[in-house]
Amino acid sequence: MPYKHNDAKRHHFKKHTYALNNYREYNQALRQRGRFDIWISDEIIKHWQHNKRVYDGTGSSVKYPDSTIEACHCIRLVYKLPLRQAQGLIDSLLMKFGMTNLQCPDYTLLSKRLKQLNLTVPRFTKHEKPDDKIAAIAIDSTGLKRFGKDEWHQEKHKVNAKRSWRKAHFAVDEAHFIQSAVLTDKNTMDDQVVGTLCQSIITDVEHVSADKMYDTNAVYQTLDAHFPDAEIVIPPKDNTFADEAHHPKRMSNLIGCFALGIIGWQSVRQYGKRNISETAIQRYKKIIGNTLHSREFENQSKEMLLGCSILNRFTHIGMPNSYWVD
């Protein structure tokens, strides 16, 4: 392999080593993530289903409220189960709890009711009430697989990658809570959904960071309209020159990069806060997975929001407090 021929002559940097300040608390938080009572609480059990239904000639009232449907789908995503297996697992749990009068909704009903959930932003935040101010927001996107063969099948049988993707766009705060999320098709550009992401954030923001794909005047205008007092930190694209038509904050970043260099500018403007969005994407793909289970777009969108809600619940339970050691 040509790229391995001179590998021994290249500079090799030692991988950073980290230690935890809260190992005991974080270790316990990881155990708590697997508890069923986190997703099926006493309040959900209390209102699991409506035994008395109304038949007025226009169709009967629903038997299962949205909280029950949402709890079932959360268990399905956390434990990575198909709908039928999730139904069997929940039925057995209810039986073990002694709830013989309750049953899990049928898997067909779970699939139909998913897109009807009133879920527009990820649930669970650091506090029950919205924060008065968010210190920093990082925006980024990633691809989620819809269908197709995996890499092993492609390499073994020498076939093309006939895969299709959706793009998940996240806005993550400094505490690793996903404040806003939007699912689009793969052809949607990152800068086209910034306005939709910002509409879900109703609190003031002090610092907004993103990569150079968001370096457009339209993005700066959208961010400045939603967060007028925020510091916008986006590195300029390659071959970008000063122009009076640029947004003032964009011109400031452009001049700063020319004066300090890209590394110096990143250090002064605290561009490293953008790593929280990369961490959120890594956590989503590692914990929830990089594949969408639903087939319809509306169901896929709700599924992605439920996945973000699960990550927020995990963040609320406990996160590692690490520091860099030599």
Side-chain angles (χ1 to χ4, degrees):
M1 295 293 180
Y3 64 90
K4 293 183 178 179
H5 182 69
N6 295 321
D7 187 64
K9 302 179 181 179
R10 293 191 176 97
H11 295 286
H12 296 276
F13 298 95
K14 180 182 177 182
K15 187 176 181 180
H16 296 327
T17 304
Y18 294 88
L20 297 181
N21 287 327
N22 61 337
Y23 176 80
R24 179 176 298 180
E25 294 80 4
Y26 180 56
N27 192 38
Q28 180 62 24
L30 292 178
R31 295 193 187 102
Q32 295 292 330
R33 292 182 180 184
R35 296 179 61 93
F36 285 107
D37 53 3
I38 293 178
W39 313 109
I40 304 181
S41 61
D42 294 337
E43 185 67 21
I44 295 177
I45 290 292
K46 183 179 179 181
H47 303 90
W48 183 264
Q49 65 188 36
H50 302 300
N51 295 322
K52 296 182 179 179
R53 305 173 66 181
V54 178
Y55 299 89
D56 57 358
T58 60
S60 64
S61 59
V62 295
K63 181 178 181 180
Y64 300 98
D66 288 348
S67 59
T68 301
I69 304 297
E70 184 176 339
C72 293
H73 278 286
C74 284
I75 290 179
R76 171 199 177 192
L77 291 175
V78 169
Y79 299 102
K80 297 181 173 62
L81 297 174
L83 279 177
R84 292 175 176 84
Q85 294 182 21
Q87 179 184 351
L89 176 65
I90 296 172
D91 278 334
S92 64
L93 286 176
L94 295 175
M95 186 179 301
K96 291 293 184 181
F97 292 159
M99 308 293 181
T100 56
N101 60 324
L102 303 180
Q103 61 181 1
C104 177
D106 189 76
Y107 68 93
T108 57
L109 180 63
L110 290 175
S111 178
K112 294 177 182 178
R113 290 281 302 276
L114 177 59
K115 61 183 177 182
Q116 300 175 8
L117 292 178
N118 185 21
L119 188 64
T120 57
V121 294
R123 298 191 187 277
F124 310 119
T125 57
K126 188 175 183 179
H127 308 286
E128 293 183 358
K129 297 181 179 179
D131 296 331
D132 296 333
K133 183 174 291 187
I134 299 176
I137 282 286
I139 301 175
D140 207 348
S141 65
T142 186
L144 298 178
K145 185 178 176 182
R146 291 175 57 195
F147 57 82
K149 302 298 183 180
D150 56 13
E151 288 76 8
W152 166 250
H153 185 275
Q154 299 167 24
E155 182 177 353
K156 180 179 179 181
H157 299 284
K158 307 300 181 182
V159 296
N160 295 328
K162 295 181 180 180
R163 294 179 294 178
S164 182
W165 302 81
R166 299 290 190 193
K167 290 184 70 173
H169 308 262
F170 299 144
V172 192
D173 65 15
E174 77 284 355
H176 298 281
F177 285 95
I178 302 177
Q179 295 286 339
S180 180
V182 177
L183 188 72
T184 63
D185 62 88
K186 63 180 181 180
N187 297 320
T188 302
M189 300 300 294
D190 294 346
D191 56 345
Q192 296 177 353
V193 299
V194 174
T196 307
L197 288 172
C198 293
Q199 289 177 359
S200 302
I201 305 175
I202 58 176
T203 57
D204 295 333
V205 176
E206 298 178 356
H207 186 280
V208 181
S209 58
D211 58 29
K212 64 175 60 178
M213 290 299 296
Y214 296 87
D215 180 42
T216 63
N217 286 319
V219 170
Y220 276 89
Q221 293 171 2
T222 301
L223 293 175
D224 196 35
H226 283 85
F227 317 118
D229 299 328
E231 181 183 11
I232 303 176
V233 182
I234 303 176
K237 294 180 180 179
D238 298 337
N239 301 324
T240 302
F241 299 97
D243 192 336
E244 295 181 355
H246 290 333
H247 191 276
K249 293 184 178 181
R250 187 184 184 191
M251 277 293 298
S252 176
N253 290 332
L254 183 61
I255 295 173
C257 286
F258 285 149
L260 303 175
I262 187 65
I263 302 299
W265 174 84
Q266 290 180 0
S267 178
V268 171
R269 301 298 298 275
Q270 296 181 329
Y271 182 68
K273 291 183 178 181
R274 194 188 68 85
N275 291 336
I276 58 177
S277 61
E278 300 286 353
T279 303
I281 290 174
Q282 182 185 15
R283 292 179 66 210
Y284 188 99
K285 291 191 172 183
K286 197 72 175 180
I287 298 175
I288 307 301
N290 65 343
T291 304
L292 295 167
H293 302 279
S294 303
R295 296 189 179 185
E296 296 182 3
F297 178 77
E298 294 183 5
N299 288 17
Q300 292 171 352
S301 179
K302 300 298 182 182
E303 178 185 329
M304 184 270 300
L305 290 175
L306 285 176
C308 294
S309 301
I310 291 172
L311 291 183
N312 285 352
R313 174 61 70 90
F314 286 168
T315 303
H316 183 77
I317 294 174
M319 289 288 286
N321 184 13
S322 61
Y323 61 92
W324 182 13
V325 295
D326 294 333

